[in-house]
Amino acid sequence: MNAADPGLPVAVPSTALFTDQYELTMLQAALRGGTADRHSVFEVFTRRLPEGRRYGVVAGTGRVLDAVENFRFDAGVLDFLRSRGVVDGPTLEWLASYRFSGDIWGYPEGEVYFPGSPVLRVEGTFAECVLLETVILSILNHDSAIAAAASRMATAAGGRRLVEMGARRTHELAAVAAARAAYVGGFDSTSDLAAGFRYGIPTVGTSAHAFILLHDSERDAFRAQVESLGRGTTLLVDTYDVAEAVRTAVEVAGPGLGAVRIDSGDLLLVAHRVRQQLDELGARDTRILVTSDLDEYAIASLAAAPVDAYGVGTQLVTGSGHPTCSMVYKLVARADSAEPGAPLRAVAKKSLGGKASVGGRKWAARRVDAEGVAEAEVVGTGAVPPELVERQLLVPLVKAGEVVAREPLEAARARHIAARSSLPLSAVQLSRGEPVLPTELVTGA
């Protein structure tokens, strides 16, 4: 969506080459071998959460829907594949008319997940499903990692505002996706204008140290900014001497100064001193924003500080030490033939080293206790137990190739807050620990 019309998706160019070559060579071999049209079920899941994390956050679902919808092999893409000899002529002909016509089910965006949760299920012919593996994993692994870090930072912030400021610390396109994922995870705004334009996320920003250094004095810089942006602006006060800068800021803007930003030093100590000084100068409503390479632990350490908002960059857009969720895309069931209505056979990888998977099309539900607090992630094949029918997690996202689950980003953001609040209290502890919910596997006919 975009800020001008948040009800409409932004046009996205072809995503067909956001893939690995072996997806296309598998397709070619399956077409030649007569197995390409076998009905197949692929599932996205992770075998484990990043070390120490208590829950995961599903993010990027809306971007996955865009990617699937725009997975098209246009003339330029086909010419590239032909020039490189990636696949043969018959495969190129097949790709020319490619449109995903299957079904996709998944955890709705913003929902939490655990090891073994089937966060996405892609169903159709082998040929049309296998091509989507790389782009789906690319989006979900990145966005879910950022959203999980954002969620931890949001709980550490305890209701104080959070600004995403990581655009200069990552790839320019990844920055837009990271801002979106951070918003789902609980951040309030972003400094990245492309994210604001594309997804309608609130944008903020005023000035950097270069603006102060440009002027002959700090007073001149503050005066220029206030005259341009108004007294409600945020003035950066740590270029030279913080105490002198705060005094000058209030003299220039008056007690109605919107906020001051601190970007260096002992943030806990400096924030207390600045708050006291602002109050003494009559600027009791002036807010304090702190930045400076924050993560969830640094934010938690500032809980007792008189801080109103945090700006986070590097640690957020790199997943706070865990830039991927290790999600995989595995074939879990397929038909024995391409005949319509051919029964599905459960299939599974039996590798050693913890890489085995569980076959069969899965459902997932979250069991809660008498107080409505989640107590287990239940994943199964076959019939859903009656007591869990109303607690199922997967929802239809694409039906017969048509997207059926577009929603405003605000809905995913609100869903995450609700999902996180339904978990046991230990879910928000920053200390290392196991997943807050066990995953129970239920197999059936």
Side-chain angles (χ1 to χ4, degrees):
M1 66 190 73
N2 59 42
D5 191 347
L8 295 176
V10 170
V12 179
S14 171
T15 54
L17 290 184
F18 292 151
T19 192
D20 292 306
Q21 181 165 315
Y22 80 164
E23 312 291 10
L24 299 185
T25 54
M26 281 193 287
L27 168 65
Q28 176 177 305
L31 289 170
R32 284 193 179 189
T35 54
D37 290 332
R38 288 185 175 184
H39 191 84
S40 300
V41 180
F42 287 83
E43 289 177 352
V44 176
F45 62 93
T46 186
R47 297 182 177 93
R48 63 190 66 85
L49 297 180
E51 184 180 356
R53 295 290 170 89
R54 304 298 182 92
Y55 60 91
V57 181
V58 177
T61 308
R63 296 208 308 121
V64 166
L65 297 180
D66 288 341
V68 171
E69 201 168 52
N70 291 280
F71 205 90
R72 304 284 189 269
F73 293 84
D74 57 29
V77 170
L78 293 171
D79 286 344
F80 167 76
L81 296 176
R82 183 180 295 107
S83 69
R84 293 292 181 93
V86 174
V87 291
D88 60 19
T91 304
L92 290 172
E93 290 182 17
W94 189 93
L95 291 172
S97 59
Y98 177 85
R99 300 291 186 274
F100 180 72
S101 63
D103 299 335
I104 300 178
W105 290 66
Y107 281 37
E109 189 159 20
E111 184 58 83
V112 296
Y113 71 88
F114 298 90
S117 297
V119 298
L120 201 73
R121 186 173 75 221
V122 182
E123 194 161 346
T125 67
F126 176 85
E128 63 181 338
C129 295
V130 75
L131 293 180
L132 299 177
E133 174 182 7
T134 302
V135 70
I136 286 176
L137 289 180
S138 177
I139 293 170
L140 292 182
N141 269 315
H142 174 268
D143 290 23
S144 296
I146 306 304
S151 180
R152 286 163 60 84
M153 293 173 188
T155 59
R160 295 171 177 176
R161 297 187 69 78
L162 288 162
V163 182
E164 185 279 314
M165 304 171 65
R168 63 190 62 193
R169 299 292 187 247
T170 188
H171 185 279
E172 68 273 17
L173 299 182
V176 181
R180 182 187 184 282
Y183 192 68
V184 170
F187 272 59
D188 299 285
S189 56
T190 180
S191 65
D192 191 274
L193 289 176
F197 172 76
R198 175 161 292 192
Y199 298 116
I201 301 170
T203 57
V204 296
T206 52
S207 67
H209 291 104
F211 184 76
I212 307 296
L213 297 171
L214 169 69
H215 291 80
D216 296 333
S217 70
E218 202 167 39
R219 182 179 296 273
D220 288 344
F222 288 169
R223 183 180 295 113
Q225 184 174 328
V226 169
E227 288 177 355
S228 174
L229 302 178
R231 298 180 187 276
T233 191
T234 299
L235 296 178
L236 181 58
V237 296
D238 75 327
T239 306
Y240 306 116
D241 179 85
V242 173
E244 181 62 29
V246 170
R247 185 179 303 109
T248 302
V250 176
E251 288 176 358
V252 170
L257 173 62
V260 295
R261 178 162 76 96
I262 308 166
D263 188 51
S264 59
D266 183 336
L267 296 179
L268 179 62
L269 175 62
V270 175
H272 276 288
R273 288 178 174 173
V274 168
R275 181 72 272 159
Q276 180 179 355
Q277 186 180 10
L278 287 170
D279 291 347
E280 290 173 350
L281 293 170
R284 295 183 176 276
D285 293 328
T286 299
R287 301 177 303 279
I288 297 175
L289 165 70
V290 296
T291 53
S292 187
D293 207 25
L294 300 175
D295 62 9
E296 60 264 49
Y297 300 103
I299 291 170
S301 74
L302 293 169
V307 171
D308 300 285
Y310 305 92
V312 190
T314 303
Q315 293 301 316
L316 177 61
V317 299
T318 57
S320 194
H322 297 289
T324 181
C325 303
S326 299
M327 290 182 181
V328 294
Y329 184 98
K330 296 299 179 184
L331 181 67
V332 296
R334 53 87 173 168
D336 286 333
S337 73
E339 293 297 321
L344 287 176
R345 174 198 299 269
V347 295
K349 184 177 181 180
K350 300 298 183 185
S351 303
L352 300 176
K355 283 195 163 186
S357 57
V358 177
R361 181 199 280 127
K362 318 274 189 327
W363 51 264
R366 191 160 298 145
R367 192 172 65 240
V368 299
D369 63 18
E371 282 72 44
V373 178
E375 62 179 13
E377 189 90 337
V378 186
V379 177
T381 58
V384 182
E387 67 274 16
L388 293 177
V389 169
E390 299 300 320
R391 305 292 307 176
Q392 292 188 80
L393 293 162
L394 280 84
V395 300
L397 302 174
V398 176
K399 298 294 290 181
E402 297 296 323
V403 173
V404 297
R406 291 205 185 280
E407 63 180 4
L409 198 57
E410 293 289 347
R413 176 181 167 86
R415 181 180 295 112
H416 176 61
I417 293 172
R420 188 177 62 204
S421 65
S422 72
L423 298 175
L425 288 176
S426 57
V428 299
Q429 293 177 341
L430 295 182
S431 57
R432 294 185 179 276
E434 297 300 313
V436 72
L437 296 187
T439 302
E440 299 177 0
L441 181 63
V442 179
T443 58

